[in-house]
Amino acid sequence: MNNTDILGTSTIVALQMCSGQNPDDNIASLKQALKTLPATRPLLVCLPEAFLVFSKSANDTLLVAKQVEQYKLQLSELCQHHNIWINAGTMPEPFNEHKYYSASHLYNNQGELVATYNKIHLFDVNVDDKTGRYRESDSTQAGNDVVVVDSPFGKIGLTVCYDLRFSGLFNELARQGAEIILVPSAFTVPTGQAHWQPLLTARAIETQCYVIAAAQYGTHENGRQTYGHSIIISPWGEQLSVLPSGVGFISGHVDLNQLNKIRRDMPVQSHQRFREHLL
């Protein structure tokens, strides 16, 4: 496991995984990773999109959705045991008999579920990779709500993967007070190589927020390949820590004094003359 702690005192960790088709195996991998965490508290651990299950089919994911409460309970217990906050990347939450939400849950160190964000923008695209055609909306129900929540780390805004391409959501998060924006992801390799870092950097600079992107990496059991490159970016657009490949974690310190200075010196939100209609 690669451990990168550039800033010394770590308060946020982004865990890079290569999740498989068995949720129990993925939970076991998470438990093992949590044993190697930095000692500093409070600590927020960010997991990637689809950390719980990376299925071959939507039907398989739907079966996991119907059992998701047992895994949510395990996450709650892990938060209490390690005295940590967890952003549980995404987990499938039932919508109806045929669809599920791609839900990003945030737990506090008491094991309480303090926020849930359902992925708004669904990945219906063609990509030049082995999969070729992605139609997330066939099995996933889009969410509608923008979510910002208070925490010991600052005000956290929640997004998921493909949301990254839609600046209107990020600007709305900033308008609602977000200081940290989480982007759990499972980017494809071609789109990751072309757009991952530029988009994340742009979102950090334009919102003047810390951006924390925990990613999937590698070739998964279902044959899909993901890009990795989990990254922590400052409100000034600096790469504070990055893990290009492999599984492991990166960590970084959120300095809200620095963030507030950046916003005072360049008050872009007060200069904003366009208010986009998000939905």
Side-chain angles (χ1 to χ4, degrees), residues 24-148:
D24 294 320
D25 290 344
N26 296 326
I27 290 289
S29 295
L30 172 60
K31 289 179 178 179
Q32 187 62 36
L34 293 182
K35 295 177 181 179
T36 68
L37 289 175
T40 184
R41 297 293 184 275
L43 186 70
L44 168 62
V45 178
C46 301
L47 309 181
E49 183 179 29
F51 89 94
L52 181 63
V53 60
F54 217 95
S55 299
K56 277 188 176 180
S57 71
N59 286 336
D60 289 344
T61 304
L62 192 59
L63 289 175
V64 174
K66 294 175 180 178
Q67 307 168 36
V68 74
E69 291 302 322
Q70 64 175 297
Y71 299 110
K72 291 166 68 175
L73 178 60
Q74 290 186 60
L75 287 171
S76 174
E77 292 170 347
L78 287 171
C79 288
Q80 295 173 72
H81 177 73
H82 292 281
N83 187 27
I84 58 174
W85 287 58
I86 287 180
N87 173 235
T90 64
M91 306 171 71
E93 286 277 355
F95 170 69
N96 60 25
E97 292 184 2
H98 308 290
K99 284 191 172 185
Y100 45 84
Y101 289 110
S102 182
S104 185
H105 297 309
L106 182 66
Y107 292 86
N108 67 17
N109 61 334
Q110 302 301 311
E112 299 165 329
L113 179 59
V114 297
T116 294
Y117 166 73
N118 294 319
K119 185 178 183 181
I120 291 175
H121 300 98
L122 302 181
F123 195 57
D124 289 357
V125 305
N126 298 325
V127 177
D128 188 16
D129 66 1
K130 291 181 180 179
T131 301
R133 184 178 185 272
Y134 295 82
R135 293 296 181 269
E136 192 172 21
S137 65
D138 287 349
S139 56
T140 305
Q141 177 67 28
N144 293 298
D145 297 330
V146 178
V147 178
V148 177

Side-chain angles (χ1 to χ4, degrees), residues 169-235:
L169 171 57
F170 283 74
N171 288 328
E172 181 60 27
L173 290 168
R175 284 192 286 270
Q176 293 191 20
E179 297 163 318
I180 302 161
I181 300 178
L182 309 183
V183 194
S185 297
F187 251 60
T188 70
V189 172
T191 59
Q193 290 172 339
H195 301 147
W196 174 251
Q197 181 183 317
L199 284 171
L200 288 165
T201 303
R203 298 295 91 88
I205 293 169
E206 68 192 8
T207 62
Q208 297 175 315
C209 288
Y210 285 91
V211 170
I212 318 295
Q216 293 280 356
Y217 169 79
T219 301
H220 301 262
E221 287 180 320
N222 64 5
R224 274 194 57 190
Q225 293 180 309
T226 49
Y227 183 61
H229 290 75
S230 296
I231 193 167
I232 298 173
I233 301 176
S234 81

